[in-house]
Amino acid sequence: MSQLHLPHLVGTPHRSQALRPPASRRHSAGSSVFDQPTASNLFPPRTPFEISASPSPAPRLASELSDGENSIAYLVISGGTGCNGIVSAFDDNVTYAMPVSDNGGSSSEIIRVLGGPSIGDIRSRLIRLIPIASPRSPTEAIRGLLSHRLSVNHTEKTAREEWRDIVEGRSPLWRGIPLDRKETIRGFLVYFDNEVLRRAQKRFSFRNGSVGNYFLTAAHLFFRSVPSAIFLFSSITGSKAHILPALVTNHTVTIAAELEDNTKIVGQCEISHPVKRPTDTVPPSPDHLAREVGRKLKGFTLGSDDDETEDEGEQTGRREKNLDFAKEGEASGIQMLHSRIRRVLYINQFGQEVFPRPNPEFINTLATRDVLVYSVGSLWTSIIPCLALRGVASAIARSPGLRAKILLLNAHNDRETGGYSAVDYVQAIVRTLNSYDVVSTTAAAGVSASAGYPVSAFITHIVYLHGTGIGVDELALTALGVECVCVQRVGTPVLGRSRDKQLFYEAEEIREALRRIVRDG
């Protein structure tokens, strides 16, 4: 394999010497929707969001497969953690549509200092889909490196020393990686390090840092394209993943939740798995929300690739960090929201709602897949951000290829969905799709499902686990046009555990349920 040469990269922290992408790639078309005010009020008129996606290789269509191969082509809408344990249920002919709004863990520090969309969930899926190989193979060595995380329990000094060993090629993590791939990966890690040094005044923290996130971020910063970064990651690792960001932008993507009691919560981490703070919510006035967004977005370089200014918060070392965020701890100490979520919205750094358009490749793929799956995971912060985009509803409802549209119901409710029944999950999805499919600003405030497409245009089946703690009213769901499929718990469970109820999903059982739905349909 030929080496990728990155001239003037190693040991060049100065701006004049650093490798820079061409000016034509420094800004994605239309991505300024996330940092340009469009009106003085909180919810301005919808702003056009023209985007362009870099081409990437797509899975083959069902018609292109031989009789001996899997004939079901899936499009799975998911976040990062929830779906990772059941990816084998979809075989190889699958496309994943994923949000880019996560602001927890390692992603929070990258976004705070370097800006840009979140790539943590995408990196997690890319690594999960690296083919299994022998323990001493280069593939496993690369997996070990890119899945490595610097310890959150060590001091910043220790974390920086570990990072320095990695970026300078001395770490044991490099053992077994061929020289050509080592220098390619290391070149981009050096590029990431250089970008951090350019912003030294922001005091980037390497604690809890993900090496894979650093590599994918460097590729995105260099190419100015998340799809291109995904392609590079897949090419080096052999990952079989075909992943589509739900929207394509080079700017930071922020979501907020509007609760039924009119309070608002800013940021995915704060909505779903907040780090302990004095308060979770923000008063609903525009001024309060704008100040909260500004506080959480301090230090983000949204406006320009050349922006190296710092604000008073950074000069004093004051910064908002979600480094301790960990979804694995969701069962301990995470309180349910005090009010149900009415809707999730995209906002810019001024606290104003913006209405981005989806990745065109996401829309195109909806027309060519056989089965659409709304995966298990966080409903409001993993699934809904992929749906609260203009045109997605019509693309789903009018798709000429989709034979089934299936909701995989979670095994238990979480912070976002306390007290939800299966009907509540369905109604949240349908209401979101119908609300954001129209252009008028009044529709953005939420409309009933009856005002747009019927429920069955978006969801034809719901798959749920036998014994789930979530109420499943089959009569009510059938009346909505949704067929219910119960999965019995068999074999060794691998996903969906509720620590109090010990409920699990298994990938093989999901695969069989999906195939049965398609076969019987």
Side-chain angles (χ1 to χ4, degrees), residues 238-284:
S239 176
K240 298 182 292 185
H242 180 243
I243 297 175
L244 300 176
L247 56 89
V248 178
T249 177
N250 288 328
H251 295 271
T252 299
V253 177
T254 304
I255 59 173
E258 182 180 271
L259 308 188
E260 290 183 352
D261 67 355
N262 291 325
T263 59
K264 295 181 177 68
I265 306 175
V266 177
Q268 176 175 322
C269 183
E270 287 71 17
I271 299 168
S272 182
H273 299 79
V275 177
K276 290 184 179 180
R277 296 191 184 99
T279 181
D280 286 337
T281 58
V282 180

Side-chain angles (χ1 to χ4, degrees), residues 18-38:
L19 182 64
R20 306 278 286 169
S24 60
R25 292 184 297 173
R26 294 184 186 177
H27 304 285
S28 61
S31 60
S32 59
V33 68
F34 287 102
D35 64 314
Q36 293 298 323
T38 56

Side-chain angles (χ1 to χ4, degrees), residues 84 153 196 252 312 315 329 366 384 439 469 483:
N84 276 346
N153 298 319
V196 170
T252 299
E312 293 180 1
Q315 291 172 355
L366 282 166
I384 294 298
V439 177
E483 183 177 339

Side-chain angles (χ1 to χ4, degrees), residues 118-407:
S118 173
I119 44 79
D121 286 347
I122 293 174
R123 182 269 313 162
S124 174
R125 185 63 42 78
L126 284 166
I127 289 179
R128 178 64 181 81
L129 290 172
I130 296 174
I132 300 298
S134 63
R136 296 181 179 275
S137 67
T139 297
E140 286 303 309
I142 293 173
R143 186 205 306 275
L145 172 68
L146 296 180
S147 61
H148 181 72
R149 188 176 289 274
L150 307 179
S151 176
V152 70
N153 298 319
H154 292 168
T155 64
E156 179 64 28
K157 180 180 179 180
T158 302
R160 286 178 176 271
E161 289 173 351
E162 183 181 2
W163 166 246
R164 186 55 48 197
D165 284 344
I166 293 172
V167 81
E168 293 181 359
R170 299 191 304 267
S171 170
L173 291 169
W174 291 108
R175 291 174 184 168
I177 299 178
L179 183 61
D180 55 354
R181 277 169 278 184
K182 173 183 177 179
E183 290 308 309
T184 299
I185 296 171
R186 197 175 73 85
F188 279 95
L189 295 183
V190 172
Y191 184 74
F192 177 86
D193 194 59
N194 186 59
E195 291 298 302
V196 170
L197 288 174
R198 289 177 56 208
R199 299 162 178 85
Q201 77 279 4
K202 294 181 179 179
R203 300 183 181 91
F204 185 89
S205 174
F206 287 95
R207 292 176 58 248
N208 199 36
S210 164
V211 176
N213 280 358
Y214 296 166
F215 174 74
L216 197 58
T217 297
H220 165 249
L221 291 172
F222 179 74
F223 294 118
R224 304 304 298 172
S225 166
V226 173
S228 295
I230 293 172
F231 174 75
L232 176 67
F233 196 108
S234 298
S235 299
I236 291 177
T237 62
S239 176
K240 298 182 292 185
H242 180 243
I243 297 175
L244 300 176
L247 56 89
V248 178
T249 177
N250 288 328
H251 295 271
T252 299
V253 177
T254 304
I255 59 173
E258 182 180 271
L259 308 188
E260 290 183 352
D261 67 355
N262 291 325
T263 59
K264 295 181 177 68
I265 306 175
V266 177
Q268 176 175 322
C269 183
E270 287 71 17
I271 299 168
S272 182
H273 299 79
V275 177
K276 290 184 179 180
R277 296 191 184 99
T279 181
D280 286 337
T281 58
V282 180
S285 72
D287 289 342
H288 276 287
L289 182 57
R291 284 197 297 270
E292 176 72 358
V293 176
R295 181 176 68 86
K296 292 183 181 295
L297 299 184
K298 272 188 181 294
F300 287 4
T301 53
L302 294 174
S304 168
D305 187 67
D306 296 329
D307 181 10
E308 297 187 27
T309 60
E310 62 177 319
D311 49 46
E312 293 180 1
E314 296 304 327
Q315 291 172 355
T316 60
R318 176 180 178 270
R319 54 188 175 183
E320 189 70 35
K321 296 166 64 174
N322 292 326
L323 284 176
D324 296 324
F325 165 85
K327 287 188 177 182
E328 289 75 7
E330 64 180 312
S332 59
I334 299 298
Q335 296 182 348
M336 294 293 180
L337 292 173
H338 64 276
S339 178
R340 285 193 172 192
I341 296 176
R342 178 186 296 136
R343 68 188 183 112
V344 162
L345 55 149
Y346 286 97
I347 58 176
N348 62 17
Q349 66 171 337
F350 302 99
Q352 298 169 319
E353 183 172 15
V354 292
F355 302 89
R357 291 175 181 163
N359 181 349
E361 196 174 351
F362 175 27
I363 298 298
N364 294 338
T365 303
L366 282 166
T368 61
R369 302 286 91 183
D370 297 319
V371 176
L372 171 65
V373 177
Y374 305 93
S375 177
V376 293
S378 300
L379 173 66
W380 286 102
T381 55
S382 293
I383 308 301
I384 294 298
C386 297
L387 307 179
L389 300 165
R390 288 183 289 167
V392 172
S394 290
I396 294 174
R398 299 178 182 179
S399 170
L402 290 176
R403 297 150 61 185
K405 304 159 188 179
I406 304 169
L407 170 63

